[in-house]
Amino acid sequence: SASLLLCLTVVSAQKTVPALRVNAGDAPPSGFARMLPLWPGPAPLAKGSAPGDVPKLYYYPAIGVGVRSAVIVLPGGGYNHVVMEKEGAVEAKWLAAHGVTAFVLQYRLSPWYMYPAPMLDGARAVRYVRSHSAEFGLDQNKIGVWGFSAGGHLAGYLATEPFDRDRANPDAVQRVSAHPDYAIFSYARLSMDDSIPRPGNMESLVGDNPSPETLDKISFARHVTKETSPSFIYSTTGDQTVNSMTATAFYDALKRAGVPAELHIFELGPHGTGMGQGLKGLGELEVWPLLLQHWMQLHGWMAASQVER
């Protein structure tokens, strides 16, 4: 019958949605000036040309005269979606208002893309911004990353990976370093050590049965060296999704390696507190962006004149 045919058509259409590789809630962040695809053609490992197949940056130019620094914001979302507004646009606008050029990365996601695709996207994002630093009016030695939750895990990869420069690559973007000059971590999973309780093994990134070798690769506290990016780490004791002990493990490794680091763990606050503003019963968290401002100012990544007083 016509009604049965309509029903079958609707069901069929619903089943084809995942093939588009677009996840619900992954609309672009608000307020960006330009959208910048990371590769001129298909990205490595690309499975198509739908929006979810195209990793990209959203550009937020600095307001006023700053110190020509930049931050690439890496939203969280468990590697199967991205929280583009609360963990992307909000921070990018905050950075831009404080004289820091910001970019929000939309990286590829599970179930269509798993390890190492998001890592390739993160590394390419740092290379893209650094290689276009003159165009954006940036100091190529002041390129940082700021990751939230899974995006913080991705930031951990970028901060600890000893990237090799491919100086002979015909792609000029690939000839510059993917290593960030500094890294900011918000409730990031930075260790997969079995001594730290965790719900699962980041299956969205590495599948249901990752080998011990794979888990070691994505346990970034184990890979800290003296070359790891100077780091600012924010977490909460109340986080039941990403144990704050991963933050302390990463900090301890940084300290042992002699890497400049600052750690703030607040008592209250669930997972996903963003910038910590206006959260009922969590007024203490409102101070943490000010702590970040002062840390960036200390190292010359944010101008003193741009810091609110």
Side-chain angles (χ1 to χ4, degrees), residues 2 15 26 33 40 63 66 73 93-94 125 139 145 148 178 191 217 243 283 285 288 291:
K15 288 184 177 179
D26 293 346
I63 298 170
V73 183
K93 293 172 187 176
W94 180 84
D139 182 335
V145 295
F148 293 78
S191 174
K217 286 181 181 178
N243 195 311
L285 298 183
W288 93 258
L291 301 173

Side-chain angles (χ1 to χ4, degrees), residues 94-115:
W94 180 84
L95 289 162
H98 288 79
V100 178
T101 295
F103 301 83
V104 177
L105 174 63
Q106 186 157 14
Y107 49 91
R108 288 171 290 175
L109 300 165
S110 175
W112 309 283
Y113 295 99
M114 301 175 76
Y115 181 88

Side-chain angles (χ1 to χ4, degrees), residues 83-144:
V83 185
M84 295 296 273
E85 200 64 26
K86 188 177 77 169
E87 298 174 355
V90 170
E91 290 73 22
K93 293 172 187 176
W94 180 84
L95 289 162
H98 288 79
V100 178
T101 295
F103 301 83
V104 177
L105 174 63
Q106 186 157 14
Y107 49 91
R108 288 171 290 175
L109 300 165
S110 175
W112 309 283
Y113 295 99
M114 301 175 76
Y115 181 88
M119 282 62 198
L120 296 175
D121 298 346
R124 178 72 177 193
V126 177
R127 287 191 169 106
Y128 184 97
V129 172
R130 180 166 282 128
S131 66
H132 290 82
S133 56
E135 173 189 340
F136 296 123
L138 301 173
D139 182 335
Q140 65 174 348
N141 298 312
K142 293 184 177 181
I143 311 298

Side-chain angles (χ1 to χ4, degrees), residues 21 41-49 53-55 108 113:
R21 290 174 290 281
L45 309 178
K47 298 180 179 180
S49 58
D53 296 307
V54 183
R108 288 171 290 175
Y113 295 99

Side-chain angles (χ1 to χ4, degrees), residues 210-252:
S211 67
E213 293 77 17
T214 297
L215 289 177
D216 177 77
K217 286 181 181 178
I218 65 167
S219 185
F220 302 122
R222 300 178 185 176
H223 302 292
V224 169
T225 70
K226 61 183 177 58
E227 305 300 328
T228 296
S229 307
S231 299
F232 181 100
I233 308 165
Y234 158 80
S235 183
T236 61
T237 302
D239 190 333
Q240 297 298 307
T241 302
V242 175
N243 195 311
S244 59
M245 291 170 67
T246 76
T248 58
F250 195 73
Y251 171 82
D252 288 347

Side-chain angles (χ1 to χ4, degrees), residues 32-36 57-61 128 135-136:
F32 65 93
R34 290 166 58 193
M35 186 273 285
L36 308 162
L57 288 168
Y58 296 97
Y59 169 50
Y60 295 75
Y128 184 97
E135 173 189 340
F136 296 123

Side-chain angles (χ1 to χ4, degrees), residues 263-277:
L263 169 67
H264 296 279
I265 299 180
F266 292 81
E267 181 175 354
L268 301 181
H271 190 67
T273 49
M275 294 283 280
Q277 305 303 295

